[in-house]
Amino acid sequence: MRSSRVRATGVATLAILLATITGCSSQILRIYPMRKQQIVPVGKSVVLTCQAETPDPVLVTQPQWKDPKGFVINEAAPGTRPEIYTEAMPTKQSQLLYISSITHAMAGNYTCVATYTNMPLSASVVLDTFVAITWVNANENQFATKGRDFKIMCEVTAEPAPSVDWFKEGTSVVTSDRYVIHANGLLIKNVEESDDGTYTCRAVVIQTGELAERNIKLEVYTAPEMEEREPKVEIKEGESAAITCKARGKPPPTYTWIKANTRENLAMTSRYSVNENTGLLTIDRVEAGDYGKYICSAVNQAGQNETEIEVEVLVPPKIFELYNTTAAEKTDGRLECKATGRPAPRISFRKQSNSEPFLNGPNDDGRIIIETSSRQTGDQMQSTAVITISRLNRTDDGLYECFAENEGGQARKNGHLTVQFKPTFEHMSNVPIWSWNGQPVNISCIAESIPNATIKWKFHEYDLTESPHVKIYGSGPISYVTVIPVDRSLYGVYKCIATNTLGEAEHIIQLREAFPPGPVLQVKQETITATSVSFNILGPAEDMGPPTLAFTAQYKENGNFDWNLAMNRTWSVNSPYIVENLTPMYTYDFRFAAVNQVGAGSWGAPITVIMPRRSPPEQPKWREAISSESLIHGKFADRYELQWKIPAHNGEPIDMYEVSYCPVLKVSGEWRVASDSECIVEELRSYEAISYEVRGLHPDTRYRIQVRAHNVLGYSLPAQLYVQTALGVERSGFAPPQLMSSGTIVGVALAGVFMCLIVVDLLLFCFRRQGVVATLCGKRAKKHKEDEAKLGSLYGWRFPLPYCSTKPRAPPSPAPLPPPVKLVPTPTDEKEPLKDTGDDALKRNSSVEFDGRRVYATSGGTIIGKNSAV
């Protein structure tokens, strides 16, 4: 083929020389492009144009194209597109040659021929072909696996043959220990992650000067690597659980979960769901059987990896057995508790009356023993605990709590251990029962025992039988006898006998005849003031009768000999025996009698008491028991609240209290006033005052505080205490200056504008009788008197008369003031004692509080309540 090309080139050159010699250069055919030899890549489309260049184009025949074999190339039939064809352009005396896709076989010498005035014209061109660089197997995205050999494929063809070299990220790659350049690609040994990147495959054809590059992105895949995690997971029964599985790999792996013992694919199992992209395993409504080993598998194009995870299902304990038991006293008792759960529940016992549980093993010197055990039952564990109590006593009876717990939760259940014992009357009292004047009484008997006891009665060691005056109710464990002692023979010893399977017990009850108490043995005058006297009373012996419930007293002036006109006081036993509201410097006679259930006893011998003269009040007493020398730590830094009791006034009413306080220091164990100039005295002019808050104290300072009562005769002795204030900050007596707020400023501005409007309106009224005031005055002038009467003279001054009328008006009458209000603090605990005078004192009950204790008294001496004198 090479020799044919040379020959065609020689013929074309010879034709040109002949045309030049003959002088016909002005009548020629010209082929475009104007190259005698054209090299075209195989597969490329080619168009050649043959055009006549003559002085008179009309004399030229239409040019024709001939292929290398000398055959005329025809024009394309309508509607067809052959591989090679011609197309005429008569207006330009041109003929176009079209080759749609040139091949090696189409290479050669192509000739264009025509005639001019019967003179032949000819021109030719040589078409030579070559194969361009072609990428046969060179994908732009290729994938390698870490740790393996991989060839980056770049297979290229061209004619003449090309030379190929490689670059990575612009850096030349040459053959080395890890890189080997092959004809069809670049081999990378033992691929690493650093090999990831863009590689350039460059092909060069030296003969044609053709250059082509192909960028190939290599992505290095890595097989999945499982991330470290805890090998054991705990989930709870009945809840939803999520178990994660994570692996590193490129591309990101997909996940599957398999249960090890059943080889189930959990993505296809009910209650399980698997996210294959994130590796999350979700279990809905966890069951106890879900425990075991699970396999998480991660897969990608580079490989596969898996990890094993142990799943522990936490099943909260359930106590399914704890029965009540019964055992006799001094024998052994036993309670057994069984519980299931996962893991095995830990069981302990606790008696409900105790806060701390028993320890596993021996307790109470080995008398109480706790034994535990556990075993597998299906999907769960069963634990058993037994509490054994030796030598039972009554205190062992009661509820025992079985407490089971594990990591899943807790469970509690109570079981009752009943300790049987023979009858006992340990809670029955031995107090005699009293009756008088044939009053019916109930003699009760309550036997404590397990099982319940039966009861029978004896009287004077004989079985008690019913009669019209004796009735028996109940045979156990509660029984009582109703006795109407119309005859003294029914008084005596009644015996209650209780019996059950474990033994017998008896209880003696005495029925005695009651009488009024004997005379009071001794009365001593204890404390006396100008208006009150307290006594110490020694009551009669109670061996032969019911206990004394109260003492009653009668008192009268010494010159009055009729006890029927005496005043009366009654006190409950052990209360303060005080008579108040007496007259100073008077002489009184007192007599006393004891009172029991039957009634009042005989009066004792009278005693005479001479009341002292009027004097200053008694010393106040603090409400709380406070030593006068002890130091009290206050709650506040700047104040302290005092509370005291109203003392006896000693004949003249208390008109005020004096409160004084001074800062003090303790020197050599004694309190001393720090500075007399800092002492402050305040007066409270109120009889009912029982509290006062001292203010303005200094923080962390010790004070001596005193309270004295005063009447017209002077001051009482002071009640004093020592107080240390709390730590704190001094408070200033002045408030910090405050700037006006924006709202205040706006209000002031509006007020100023309003005042200006009023002034302008008044000026209009005064000079021109116009404006709002003039209008109001015109409307109100006729009804001025009626409005004045309706509104009252108190409000007449609000509209100044000169602005609306020239008629003079009387000055308004002042509004009536409310009556003065007396501010008196209401005492919380104390009330003024009731005063008894004359006959009224003998007919009404009274309530007296003395020295912080309340005494109830009545003129009749009747007891209306326990520990109360009425």
Side-chain angles (χ1 to χ4, degrees):
M1 186 177 71
R2 186 71 177 170
S3 60
S4 63
R5 294 175 183 172
V6 172
R7 288 197 300 271
T9 305
V11 172
T13 305
L14 182 60
I16 295 171
L17 290 174
L18 291 174
T20 305
I21 295 171
T22 58
C24 299
S25 58
S26 59
Q27 296 91 20
I28 63 172
L29 294 177
R30 194 179 298 279
I31 297 175
Y32 296 97
M34 293 175 62
R35 289 193 302 270
K36 292 301 181 178
Q37 183 179 5
Q38 298 187 27
I39 300 175
V40 181
V42 173
K44 187 174 180 181
S45 299
V46 178
V47 58
L48 298 175
T49 303
C50 178
Q51 185 173 344
E53 294 184 2
T54 62
D56 188 0
V58 176
L59 299 178
V60 179
T61 60
Q62 183 66 33
Q64 288 184 325
W65 280 97
K66 293 182 179 182
D67 62 18
K69 293 181 180 182
F71 296 106
V72 176
I73 301 173
N74 299 319
E75 295 183 3
T80 62
R81 295 289 296 271
E83 292 183 353
I84 183 169
Y85 63 95
T86 61
E87 184 177 313
M89 296 181 66
T91 57
K92 294 184 178 182
Q93 296 297 317
S94 299
Q95 189 78 6
L96 277 67
L97 173 63
Y98 289 98
I99 302 175
S100 59
S101 178
I102 195 167
T103 63
H104 286 297
M106 296 177 183
N109 187 19
Y110 286 81
T111 305
C112 178
V113 296
T115 61
Y116 178 74
T117 62
N118 296 322
M119 184 180 65
L121 299 176
S122 176
S124 64
V125 63
V126 177
L127 288 181
D128 201 359
T129 61
F130 70 96
V131 178
I133 295 174
T134 304
W135 308 104
V136 179
N137 182 11
N139 291 331
E140 293 181 342
N141 291 285
Q142 300 186 35
F143 306 95
T145 300
K146 179 183 177 182
R148 300 179 186 176
D149 294 350
F150 181 78
K151 181 186 286 186
I152 304 175
M153 299 302 298
C154 182
E155 189 173 350
V156 59
T157 61
E159 189 177 330
S163 63
V164 179
D165 50 4
W166 289 86
F167 298 88
K168 182 187 178 184
E169 312 290 352
T171 302
S172 176
V173 177
V174 297
T175 299
S176 63
D177 293 339
R178 294 190 64 242
Y179 299 100
V180 178
I181 298 176
H182 289 178
N184 61 347
L186 174 65
L187 176 66
I188 305 176
K189 297 179 180 180
N190 192 19
V191 173
E192 300 175 354
E193 289 187 52
S194 60
D195 293 326
D196 192 288
T198 301
Y199 291 79
T200 302
C201 174
R202 186 174 70 180
V204 178
V205 179
I206 298 175
Q207 293 83 345
T208 62
E210 187 178 11
L211 170 66
E213 293 182 348
R214 173 61 64 94
N215 289 328
I216 300 174
K217 181 175 177 55
L218 177 65
E219 194 170 349
V220 177
Y221 284 173
T222 59
E225 294 181 10
M226 292 296 181
E227 294 183 358
E228 293 185 3
R229 55 159 300 138
E230 292 294 331
K232 188 173 182 180
V233 175
E234 293 181 344
I235 58 180
K236 286 189 177 182
E237 182 189 36
E239 298 181 358
S240 294
I243 305 174
T244 59
C245 177
K246 282 289 186 181
R248 295 182 297 270
K250 186 178 181 181
T254 58
Y255 300 86
T256 57
W257 280 86
I258 297 173
K259 194 169 184 181
N261 60 343
T262 62
R263 307 307 297 178
E264 295 176 276
N265 186 344
L266 298 181
M268 311 298 293
T269 307
S270 62
R271 294 191 304 106
Y272 294 85
S273 62
V274 176
N275 189 323
E276 65 177 10
N277 295 321
T278 63
L280 181 67
L281 171 65
T282 304
I283 307 176
D284 189 25
R285 301 184 307 279
V286 174
E287 296 178 357
D290 292 334
Y291 77 94
K293 293 183 178 180
Y294 291 73
I295 297 173
C296 172
S297 177
V299 180
N300 66 5
Q301 289 89 328
Q304 181 264 348
N305 202 346
E306 64 183 30
T307 184
E308 190 174 75
I309 300 172
E310 183 176 355
V311 175
E312 178 64 46
V313 177
L314 302 180
V315 182
K318 294 181 179 66
I319 299 175
F320 66 93
E321 183 178 310
L322 179 60
Y323 300 124
N324 299 333
T325 59
T326 301
E329 192 175 18
K330 298 181 181 178
T331 63
D332 294 345
R334 186 174 182 272
L335 281 171
E336 185 175 14
C337 179
K338 294 181 180 179
T340 59
R342 186 171 186 90
R346 300 177 292 276
I347 301 181
S348 59
F349 278 99
R350 179 181 71 88
K351 193 175 182 184
Q352 285 282 27
S353 57
N354 298 333
S355 59
E356 296 297 327
F358 296 107
L359 301 176
N360 288 339
N363 297 264
D364 193 13
D365 297 329
R367 192 176 72 87
I368 302 175
I369 298 177
I370 310 293
E371 298 174 317
T372 60
S373 62
S374 61
R375 62 186 179 89
Q376 180 83 28
T377 57
D379 295 329
Q380 301 188 37
M381 301 292 293
Q382 176 179 310
S383 297
T384 303
V386 179
I387 178 171
T388 303
I389 305 176
S390 304
R391 305 182 303 278
L392 287 171
N393 54 55
R394 289 180 59 188
T395 59
D396 295 324
D397 187 288
L399 285 174
Y400 288 79
E401 180 187 67
C402 172
F403 178 72
E405 68 172 340
N406 63 9
E407 288 73 8
Q410 302 174 349
R412 288 179 168 85
K413 191 173 183 180
N414 292 332
H416 194 277
L417 172 61
T418 302
V419 179
Q420 296 180 331
F421 58 95
K422 68 179 184 179
T424 177
F425 295 101
E426 61 185 33
H427 293 103
M428 290 285 295
S429 66
N430 293 319
V431 177
I433 296 176
W434 303 92
S435 178
W436 61 95
N437 298 332
Q439 293 183 359
V441 294
N442 288 331
I443 304 175
S444 301
C445 180
I446 302 175
E448 298 178 54
S449 67
I450 299 178
N452 288 337
T454 57
I455 293 177
K456 65 178 181 179
W457 290 88
K458 285 190 175 183
F459 181 61
H460 293 311
E461 299 301 327
Y462 295 99
D463 291 340
L464 181 65
T465 58
E466 291 189 341
S467 68
H469 304 296
V470 178
K471 298 293 181 182
I472 302 175
Y473 300 93
S475 59
I478 299 174
S479 179
Y480 62 94
V481 176
T482 300
V483 180
I484 305 175
V486 296
D487 188 349
R488 290 194 171 182
S489 62
L490 294 177
Y491 291 102
V493 175
Y494 290 78
K495 184 182 293 184
C496 170
I497 303 172
T499 307
N500 71 359
T501 57
L502 299 179
E504 181 181 280
E506 61 181 35
H507 181 66
I508 293 176
I509 304 171
Q510 294 185 4
L511 175 60
R512 294 184 182 180
E513 185 177 7
F515 300 96
V520 174
L521 298 180
Q522 187 179 18
V523 177
K524 287 185 177 180
Q525 173 186 320
E526 198 169 50
T527 303
I528 186 169
T529 70
T531 57
S532 65
V533 59
S534 62
F535 298 95
N536 190 354
I537 302 175
L538 179 62
E542 298 178 355
D543 297 339
M544 300 306 294
T548 301
L549 300 179
F551 293 105
T552 185
Q554 285 187 331
Y555 59 98
K556 60 181 180 60
E557 294 182 11
N558 183 254
N560 184 2
F561 299 100
D562 188 357
W563 283 100
N564 292 325
L565 301 177
M567 291 179 286
N568 181 279
R569 281 287 185 274
T570 300
W571 305 278
S572 59
V573 174
N574 298 324
S575 64
Y577 308 127
I578 304 169
V579 178
E580 293 185 301
N581 298 324
L582 302 176
T583 304
M585 301 179 66
Y586 272 48
T587 300
Y588 290 91
D589 294 330
F590 293 85
R591 65 177 183 176
F592 300 86
V595 180
N596 65 9
Q597 291 176 327
V598 182
S602 58
W603 295 105
I607 64 172
T608 301
V609 177
I610 301 174
M611 305 304 296
R613 68 175 63 249
R614 292 179 176 83
S615 64
E618 293 296 308
Q619 180 184 20
K621 294 183 179 180
W622 305 116
R623 282 195 170 275
E624 299 179 359
I626 300 174
S627 171
S628 61
E629 295 297 322
S630 62
L631 180 64
I632 300 171
H633 293 273
K635 299 179 181 179
F636 304 101
D638 61 344
R639 60 189 184 277
Y640 184 81
E641 185 178 12
L642 302 171
Q643 292 185 337
W644 62 87
K645 305 171 186 176
I646 298 177
H649 54 73
N650 285 341
E652 293 294 338
I654 296 174
D655 53 13
M656 73 169 185
Y657 292 92
E658 179 189 84
V659 179
S660 62
Y661 49 96
C662 303
V664 295
L665 300 173
K666 201 164 190 178
V667 181
S668 301
E670 294 184 357
W671 293 106
R672 295 184 182 178
V673 176
S675 174
D676 291 335
S677 61
E678 296 186 28
C679 292
I680 298 176
V681 178
E682 299 179 1
E683 294 182 351
L684 308 179
R685 296 192 173 275
S686 174
Y687 164 70
E688 292 88 352
I690 56 173
S691 65
Y692 180 71
E693 187 175 65
V694 180
R695 292 181 173 271
L697 303 179
H698 298 294
D700 195 24
T701 305
R702 297 179 178 183
Y703 286 89
R704 183 194 68 192
I705 304 177
Q706 294 181 338
V707 175
R708 295 194 299 173
H710 179 271
N711 62 12
V712 295
L713 299 178
Y715 286 98
S716 68
L717 294 175
Q720 76 174 16
L721 53 80
Y722 292 92
V723 175
Q724 180 169 346
T725 55
L727 294 174
V729 180
E730 293 276 1
R731 292 187 177 181
S732 172
F734 301 97
Q738 297 182 352
L739 298 176
M740 288 192 298
S741 64
S742 58
T744 305
I745 295 173
V746 172
V748 171
L750 291 176
V753 173
F754 184 71
M755 292 300 296
C756 291
L757 293 175
I758 292 176
V759 171
V760 172
D761 192 73
L762 291 176
L763 292 174
L764 288 173
F765 170 73
C766 293
F767 292 101
R768 304 190 62 177
R769 298 295 177 178
Q770 293 179 353
V772 178
V773 175
T775 303
L776 292 176
C777 290
K779 291 182 178 180
R780 294 173 53 90
K782 295 181 179 180
K783 297 184 178 181
H784 182 75
K785 293 183 179 180
E786 292 83 351
D787 294 342
E788 186 72 27
K790 292 178 182 179
L791 296 175
S793 60
L794 178 61
Y795 304 96
W797 58 271
R798 292 189 177 178
F799 294 98
L801 185 61
Y803 293 137
C804 297
S805 175
T806 56
K807 184 177 180 180
R809 179 185 297 174
S813 58
L817 296 176
V821 178
K822 183 179 181 182
L823 299 176
V824 179
T826 303
T828 56
D829 298 3
E830 301 200 7
K831 296 180 179 179
E832 183 179 356
L834 299 177
K835 300 180 181 180
D836 292 341
T837 57
D839 296 339
D840 292 341
L842 303 176
K843 298 179 182 180
R844 67 180 181 186
N845 301 335
S846 62
S847 170
V848 180
E849 181 171 329
F850 185 83
D851 199 15
R853 302 182 65 179
R854 187 165 295 282
V855 181
Y856 297 92
T858 183
S859 60
T862 303
I863 306 302
I864 65 172
K866 184 177 180 181
N867 294 333
S868 299
V870 183

